[in-house]
Amino acid sequence: MSDSTFYVTTPIYYVNDAPHIGHGYTTVMGDIITRWHRQRGENVWYLTGTDEHGQKVLRKAEENGVSPQDWVDKLVEDEWRPMLATIDVANDDFIRTTEQRHIDGSKAFWTALYERDAVYKGNFEGHYSVSAEEFVSEEDVAEGEGDDEGFKVSKLDGSRVELVAEENYFFRLSDYQQKLLDLYESQPDFIQPESARNEVISFVSRGLRDLSISRSTFDWGIEVPWDDKHVMYVWIEALLNYATAVGYGTDPERFAKVWPADIHLVGKDIARFHAVIWPAMLMAAGEPVPHRVFAHGWLLVGGQKMSKSKANGIRPDELVDTFGSDAYRYYFARALTFGSDGSISWEDINARYHAELANGFGNLASRVAAMIGKYFDGVLPATGAVTVPEQMVIDVVAKAVAEADAAIEAIAPHDALNAIWRIVDELNGYLTEQAPWKVAKDDPDSDRLATILVTAAEGLRVLAVLLNPVMPMSSAALWDSLGAEPSLGALDAQRIDDVATWGQLPAGTTITKPPSLFPRIEAPAE
Ligand code: MSP
């Protein structure tokens, strides 16, 4: 195993409110990708966390009559950390921007920028959107209409903007236009997918202005190390979490080992921050840039981007309580193309749950175990000769494994699941055609029955391993039912590159019927 670390991050989420399934989406997709890479035997580090400074959080705390620190402490403990358990995320670290390691690391980074003459003091006058925590240039400001009548709004996301006139520090972003264009050219994967890449390149090609990076009219933030009248602009501080979480400024050895990040997963709304400002800051501080930034699309509910402010924000536990965390994870990975917008609905989750999970996969697992129970007293027999239909199963499995692995490498979990589901369909078709229940009646003394059920059990072994990153709970139940652990070891230790090797479950293995993996849900659609 190489010593390098496969380092993946989610955005750090604002704790102005509780999480909704949009936040859960990015986090689950990162979890699927990192669990898969762990099963490739790689050193993985998966980071998520919370973005706690800035005016948006400050104002929310004020509205609720509590100090910002009390507000974020409560929300993180009551809402954000529990969400990870609700959706079964195996992150390695959780960073809060109010932690000392982040404060120290951020100050060290700013000092590096200052010493390298990448920042200067100036006066800022212009518009700011607190909701987006973003400076909005004059050409992107419009007169509000309807509810926003009498206010100015940002054309970028429709949020209200306010006039800001204050002393700020500026970052020399304008120095980085050519260097960034060179980066996109020499590292074509740097920003993906293609739509985000094109957007970013055209934005940078139009020219870059220096960026205001500090605020001096409130103090909920990290002090600029050489000037305590200023706090760092929240975005500039937030981006630094990816570096401070792995030791920038506090543990140089660890930082050198883990940095640069392999993938920053982000929603497309924040692709520019990650693909323009962040690499420029890293270049200015003399640090390597990340390998890839992947911008995914929106979850749409009723055709609209889901968000808390539109009151169409669904909490993860609203779905998990009904469908379970495995089905939740499966749904978002399977039903949406990662990288594009996609509509979700209760009806669609419900339909896929019953058709694909309960009938397609769960039923397959319980049927095979039940037949081995009935015909072989729950003990896996030795296989007979492999004939053409068995060879077809083996070939479909080998191809699907290779395709799924390539899809995860390309950050396309939906394609990985499509490939894996070909195994589910193949096994169901194989059983229908081979009809082991008929063989048991018509030809009980041949070894055909054993061959068919061993082939099906091997197929289930492969499915347990491949689906473990997506549906860890039902995969573990399946692994248990296959009695695989005593001979093959723990499910998490199974390697993707070895999974298609046929005939791993030894004859004599005890197979038991799994608990119902996806029980039917009678709840009415909402
Ligand atoms: N705090 C900043 C990010 C700083 S990263 C250095 C932020 N936070 S946020 O709470 O607004 O979260 C934004 C992220 O949540 C998006 O980039 C995306 O990953 C996720 N999503 C929020 N709403 C979403 C949808 N409706 N659909 C898909 N993802 C969504 O921006």
Side-chain angles (χ1 to χ4, degrees):
M1 192 194 295
S2 98
D3 199 34
S4 72
T5 303
F6 184 72
Y7 178 29
V8 179
T9 66
T10 71
I12 48 171
Y13 304 105
Y14 288 128
V15 285
N16 55 317
D17 224 325
H20 59 59
I21 57 175
H23 308 116
Y25 181 48
T26 321
T27 313
V28 158
M29 300 308 270
D31 192 54
I32 292 173
I33 292 167
T34 46
R35 283 180 188 257
W36 187 281
H37 278 264
R38 283 192 202 106
Q39 286 198 221
R40 281 165 74 161
E42 294 168 25
N43 270 322
V44 170
W45 197 253
Y46 183 35
L47 173 74
T48 186
T50 42
D51 192 354
E52 305 187 6
H53 289 127
Q55 272 176 300
K56 179 152 130 164
V57 172
L58 175 62
R59 285 192 186 168
K60 197 62 191 249
E62 283 167 349
E63 279 167 27
N64 285 275
V66 294
S67 75
Q69 189 65 57
D70 286 349
W71 174 260
V72 296
D73 286 349
K74 187 164 166 42
L75 266 179
V76 169
E77 294 312 322
D78 292 356
E79 299 284 354
W80 288 88
R81 285 194 202 271
M83 173 187 76
L84 299 173
T86 302
I87 57 179
D88 206 359
V89 169
N91 54 305
D92 296 288
D93 192 6
F94 185 99
I95 188 161
R96 299 183 54 184
T97 54
T98 49
E99 280 173 63
Q100 201 58 43
R101 60 173 168 160
H102 177 70
I103 296 170
D104 293 345
S106 298
K107 287 186 174 176
F109 198 99
W110 274 61
T111 303
L113 291 180
Y114 196 56
E115 284 170 354
R116 293 165 148 260
D117 191 31
V119 293
Y120 62 92
K121 201 188 232 177
N123 282 306
F124 178 83
E125 205 177 323
H127 290 94
Y128 190 82
S129 157
V130 172
S131 140
E133 292 284 15
E134 191 173 10
F135 297 97
V136 183
S137 59
E138 220 35 58
E139 62 267 24
D140 288 325
V141 172
E143 293 298 333
E145 290 168 8
D147 282 354
D148 295 317
E149 182 97 44
F151 294 92
K152 293 207 186 306
V153 296
S154 160
K155 288 188 206 165
L156 303 174
D157 65 355
S159 61
R160 282 185 194 171
V161 297
E162 38 200 88
L163 206 55
V164 168
E166 59 186 42
E167 188 186 78
N168 287 175
Y169 284 96
F170 285 80
F171 170 59
R172 298 188 198 280
L173 184 61
S174 59
D175 286 354
Y176 290 88
Q177 180 182 19
Q178 196 50 48
K179 293 187 186 91
L180 287 167
L181 292 172
D182 292 346
L183 166 68
Y184 311 141
E185 179 80 27
S186 65
Q187 214 172 296
D189 279 355
F190 177 76
I191 165 79
Q192 291 180 288
E194 199 60 25
S195 50
R197 177 178 149 83
N198 292 340
E199 211 267 336
V200 162
I201 292 179
S202 101
F203 175 75
V204 173
S205 303
R206 290 197 294 273
L208 295 172
R209 273 180 238 160
D210 289 352
L211 179 71
S212 167
I213 56 165
S214 73
R215 303 294 309 272
S216 55
T217 48
F218 60 92
D219 64 2
W220 180 237
I222 300 179
E223 266 174 23
V224 170
W226 62 89
D227 187 343
D228 63 9
K229 287 196 287 302
H230 290 250
V231 293
M232 299 173 188
Y233 162 42
V234 64
W235 256 107
I236 295 299
E237 182 223 303
L239 289 163
L240 291 172
N241 91 87
Y242 304 127
T244 63
V246 292
Y248 184 91
T250 54
D251 184 350
E253 230 172 89
R254 168 110 184 106
F255 182 69
K257 188 163 173 275
V258 181
W259 193 257
D262 288 88
I263 311 176
H264 290 316
L265 292 175
V266 300
K268 64 182 181 182
D269 52 333
I270 57 174
R272 266 192 213 173
F273 289 98
H274 287 80
V276 180
I277 299 173
W278 181 222
M281 285 166 63
L282 287 162
M283 288 173 188
E287 300 296 343
V289 301
H291 293 309
R292 295 189 273 181
V293 173
F294 186 90
H296 66 73
W298 298 135
L299 296 187
L300 306 174
V301 174
Q304 275 208 319
K305 181 192 170 204
M306 194 198 55
S307 72
K308 212 77 202 182
S309 56
K310 289 201 200 99
N312 60 357
I314 304 165
R315 294 170 58 96
D317 45 17
E318 290 176 54
L319 296 178
V320 170
D321 285 350
T322 300
F323 297 102
S325 58
D326 273 5
Y328 176 103
R329 296 164 60 91
Y330 171 80
Y331 178 69
F332 287 104
R334 181 89 202 266
L336 307 164
T337 299
F338 201 43
S340 311
D341 293 351
S343 291
I344 57 151
S345 70
W346 186 277
E347 290 73 16
D348 193 29
I349 302 182
N350 195 49
R352 283 180 182 271
Y353 177 92
H354 288 103
E356 293 161 18
L357 295 178
N359 296 342
F361 171 51
N363 194 26
L364 170 70
S366 65
R367 266 201 308 164
V368 172
M371 285 191 280
I372 294 174
K374 182 167 172 193
Y375 303 128
F376 295 99
D377 290 330
V379 178
L380 192 71
T383 183
V386 165
T387 66
V388 171
E390 286 73 51
Q391 194 55 51
M392 273 176 63
V393 172
I394 296 170
D395 293 348
V396 166
V397 165
K399 199 157 172 262
V401 170
E403 273 183 41
D405 195 37
I408 296 286
E409 181 57 42
I411 318 183
H414 52 283
D415 284 339
L417 270 173
N418 282 337
I420 295 169
W421 231 255
R422 285 213 307 278
I423 302 178
V424 174
D425 294 341
E426 174 68 19
L427 289 173
N428 275 320
Y430 171 77
L431 286 178
T432 306
E433 274 172 28
Q434 300 307 313
W437 48 90
K438 261 189 96 214
V439 178
K441 242 204 279 159
D442 302 346
D443 197 7
D445 295 330
S446 80
D447 57 11
R448 269 314 285 164
L449 183 60
T451 306
I452 297 165
L453 292 177
V454 169
T455 302
E458 273 292 301
L460 287 175
R461 172 188 61 76
V462 173
L463 286 175
V465 175
L466 296 181
L467 289 173
N468 189 35
V470 185
M471 299 193 280
M473 300 224 289
S474 28
S475 302
L478 178 54
W479 197 244
D480 229 34
S481 127
L482 292 171
E485 181 137 351
S487 48
L488 301 182
L491 177 58
D492 287 347
Q494 305 305 304
R495 294 277 296 263
I496 301 289
D497 51 8
D498 189 37
V499 67
T501 307
W502 211 246
Q504 294 189 28
L505 280 173
T509 299
T510 306
I511 310 262
T512 47
K513 204 164 179 300
S516 176
L517 297 181
F518 302 98
R520 293 198 70 77
I521 294 166
E522 303 308 339
E526 271 185 7

